[in-house]
């Protein structure tokens, strides 16, 4: 049996080239998934998935890896993604679940749930960095996918904006840590606040730097959660009602937009 030749999609071809190549091969609904907060030692891990429309409606001005955008640009692109996406989903993993299950397990589980929650079923899945199995559709893990594929970049923006908003909210409850500025990442300012005040319940006690200042660094992750302090006010928030929480689902009617490209390709995509 003859093996069809592969299609090579080059990075310099642009953010939409990979999706367009897949769509030309018959995969009309290409979903992207990404996360935000993997490197933070406080706050939730947030994953998102998105399916952008074919053609020009799916081309969002200024769309890029969320880490390359300013806060104002991310908010503008976020609104465009929500408005234009055929479907999107955002899933939040609280800090205590990251401690209990482990970061990598939670990362894959969150992306899997976000993809499974899409109201438009994807025909192909692109993920940033790590492959996600158990979806029942073909997929590809793309190195720095948020800089290569538009749907992954869209998911990156959804996840980042959602997480940043949560961290700003947490800053009002735990003002000593500066969550509104560094968003729970291990900056010198955050490290200094940890040493001075110790961790709060939104820190990840399975992280070495948090465990070290908590006095619990010899105990297993499940035992590291603090019991809380009398001065802490209970926080009402829908995204942390316990366990993995999906915070947003969206769907837009799919316009009959053609791909608008006439290059015939054979074989698979790599």
């Amino acid at each position: 049996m003859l093996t069809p030749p592969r299609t090579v999609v080059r990075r310099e071809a642009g953010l939409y080239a990979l999706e367009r190549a897949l769509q030309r091969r018959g995969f009309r609904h290409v979903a992207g998934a990404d996360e935000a907060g993997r490197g933070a030692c406080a706050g939730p891990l947030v994953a998102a998935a998105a399916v952008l429309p074919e053609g020009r409606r799916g081309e969002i001005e200024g769309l890029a890896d969320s880490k390359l955008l300013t806060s104002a640009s991310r908010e503008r692109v976020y609104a465009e993604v929500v408005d234009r996406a055929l479907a999107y989903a955002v899933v939040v993993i609280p800090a205590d679940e990251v401690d209990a299950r482990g970061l990598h397990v939670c990362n894959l589980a969150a992306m899997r749930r976000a993809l499974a929650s899409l109201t438009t079923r994807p025909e192909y899945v692109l993920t940033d960095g790590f492959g996600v199995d158990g979806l029942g559709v073909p997929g590809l893990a793309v190195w720095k996918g948020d800089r290569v594929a538009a749907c992954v970049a869209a998911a990156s923006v959804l996840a980042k904006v959602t997480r940043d908003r949560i961290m700003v909210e947490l800053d009002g409850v735990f003002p000593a840590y500066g969550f509104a500025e560094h968003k729970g990442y291990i900056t010198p300012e955050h490290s200094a606040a940890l040493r001075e005040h110790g961790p709060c319940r939104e820190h990840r006690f399975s992280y070495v730097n948090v465990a070290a200042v908590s006095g619990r660094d010899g105990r297993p992750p499940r035992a590291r959660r603090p019991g809380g302090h009398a001065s802490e006010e209970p926080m009402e928030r829908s995204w942390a009602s316990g366990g993995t929480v999906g915070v947003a689902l969206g769907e837009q009617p799919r316009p009959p937009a053609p791909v608008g490209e006439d290059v015939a390709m054979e074989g698979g995509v790599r």
Side-chain angles (χ1 to χ4, degrees):
M1 178 174 17
L2 295 176
T3 301
R6 291 179 176 179
T7 299
V8 178
V9 179
R10 303 188 183 281
R11 288 179 181 270
E12 58 268 24
L15 194 62
Y16 295 88
L18 183 51
E19 280 155 276
R20 297 297 182 256
L22 288 165
Q23 288 161 352
R24 290 195 298 269
R25 298 309 309 277
F27 300 105
R28 296 189 64 192
H29 299 150
V30 181
D34 199 4
E35 55 74 28
R38 184 180 175 89
C41 67
L45 177 72
V46 179
V51 179
L52 297 177
E54 300 172 76
R56 296 200 175 194
R57 179 167 174 77
E59 296 180 4
I60 297 171
E61 183 180 356
L63 178 62
D65 172 9
S66 64
K67 295 183 290 296
L68 302 178
L69 299 175
T70 65
S71 178
S73 295
R74 279 195 300 268
E75 288 285 349
R76 181 187 61 77
V77 172
Y78 175 95
E80 285 291 311
V81 171
V82 168
D83 180 58
R84 296 191 187 200
L86 297 181
Y88 68 90
V90 182
V91 169
V92 175
I93 307 285
D96 57 351
E97 188 171 345
V98 173
D99 282 343
R101 301 180 64 193
L103 176 66
H104 188 61
V105 170
C106 286
N107 188 23
L108 296 184
M111 288 199 291
R112 183 180 297 110
R113 179 173 174 184
L115 288 162
S117 299
L118 291 170
T119 52
T120 296
R121 178 174 171 79
E123 298 168 359
Y124 201 99
V125 168
L126 300 172
T127 53
D128 183 40
F130 302 101
V132 178
D133 58 12
L135 297 173
V137 296
L140 180 68
V142 184
W143 176 249
K144 293 192 179 298
D146 44 12
R147 303 187 186 188
V148 176
C151 58
V152 180
S156 171
V157 170
L158 291 172
K160 173 67 173 168
V161 170
T162 299
R163 188 177 189 280
D164 282 0
R165 291 174 178 177
I166 290 172
M167 297 309 296
V168 170
E169 183 182 355
L170 287 174
D171 186 67
V173 180
F174 303 102
Y177 301 97
F179 288 151
E181 286 74 40
H182 56 67
K183 307 299 189 293
Y185 288 90
I186 309 171
T187 64
E189 294 78 12
H190 189 186
S191 296
L194 266 175
R195 290 191 297 269
E196 181 178 355
H197 303 286
C200 71
R201 67 172 181 261
E202 295 297 337
H203 279 95
R204 300 176 187 175
F205 283 71
S206 55
Y207 279 46
V208 172
N209 65 320
V210 178
V213 298
S214 71
R216 303 163 183 257
D217 51 320
R219 301 169 65 184
R222 290 178 185 274
R224 289 178 184 164
R225 304 303 306 173
H229 303 287
S231 61
E232 291 180 0
E233 294 293 331
M235 186 176 180
E236 299 271 343
R237 59 185 189 277
S238 61
W239 56 268
S241 58
T244 307
V245 183
V247 297
L249 296 174
E251 182 178 27
Q252 300 292 336
R254 182 170 61 83
V259 175
E261 295 174 332
D262 57 3
V263 180
M265 292 189 179
E266 299 292 330
V269 175
R270 68 176 179 181

